[in-house]
Amino acid sequence: MFLQSFGYAKDPVRTLQAARAMLADDGFILLTRTQPIRYAVERAEQNGTSLGEEYFSTATFSYVSGWNDQITLTKRPYTISDLINVFSAAGLWIETALEPQLSEDARRRYPHKQEWMNKHLGILIFKLRPHLTP
């Protein structure tokens, strides 16, 4: 299970291959990832660049942790195609992909959260299975 941690992996293919090796025969990997557009929007606003420049940038970026201002985190950006290609290179296929949204009730109760989701799109959830070897 990779809950928002995958972006910190120094070698993403090797990391997923190691997780794949630990799976039971019917096992799967659940991986959540911040929607790549979110970071592209934030960096474009901070850097005065375009959304496209930031979405396709391969430069790592750092930010101060929200839970400890003494810690700076560094992430590698991914495009959607980068993610798909990393999964494939690790011998995995996407069984399911989800982009959760707020319920109608939550949208009414928390309009500020819906406004944020409208701009940043939220997260992606992937259920990954190993390719079967003949």
Side-chain angles (χ1 to χ4, degrees):
M1 185 175 287
F2 292 89
L3 299 178
Q4 299 301 91
S5 60
F6 182 70
Y8 302 103
K10 289 186 180 187
D11 186 338
V13 171
R14 190 168 169 191
T15 298
L16 289 175
Q17 287 172 330
R20 179 181 178 226
M22 292 185 261
L23 292 176
D25 290 342
D26 61 345
F28 62 89
I29 294 171
L30 182 69
L31 186 146
T32 68
R33 176 78 182 138
T34 301
Q35 169 56 262
I37 300 274
R38 173 191 172 182
Y39 293 123
V41 167
E42 289 176 353
R43 290 190 318 269
E45 289 175 352
Q46 290 169 356
N47 300 333
T49 53
S50 72
L51 180 60
E53 285 176 279
E54 296 298 345
Y55 181 76
F56 291 107
S57 173
T58 58
T60 59
F61 61 97
S62 299
Y63 59 95
V64 176
S65 164
W67 49 269
N68 184 334
D69 62 4
Q70 300 300 308
I71 296 175
T72 299
L73 301 169
T74 300
K75 277 193 166 185
R76 176 199 186 285
Y78 289 90
T79 62
I80 298 295
S81 59
D82 289 337
L83 289 170
I84 293 168
N85 291 332
V86 166
F87 300 159
S88 180
L92 301 164
W93 62 279
I94 301 168
E95 180 178 296
T96 307
L98 301 170
E99 297 180 77
Q101 298 293 301
L102 295 175
S103 67
E104 285 300 321
D105 181 54
R107 290 176 197 208
R108 283 190 297 278
R109 293 176 62 200
Y110 309 106
H112 64 288
K113 290 182 180 184
Q114 184 59 53
E115 184 179 334
W116 188 93
M117 294 275 298
N118 287 343
K119 182 176 183 179
H120 297 291
L121 306 179
I123 65 169
L124 302 169
I125 302 173
F126 296 99
K127 183 177 182 180
L128 305 170
R129 296 257 187 203
H131 287 290
L132 298 177
T133 53

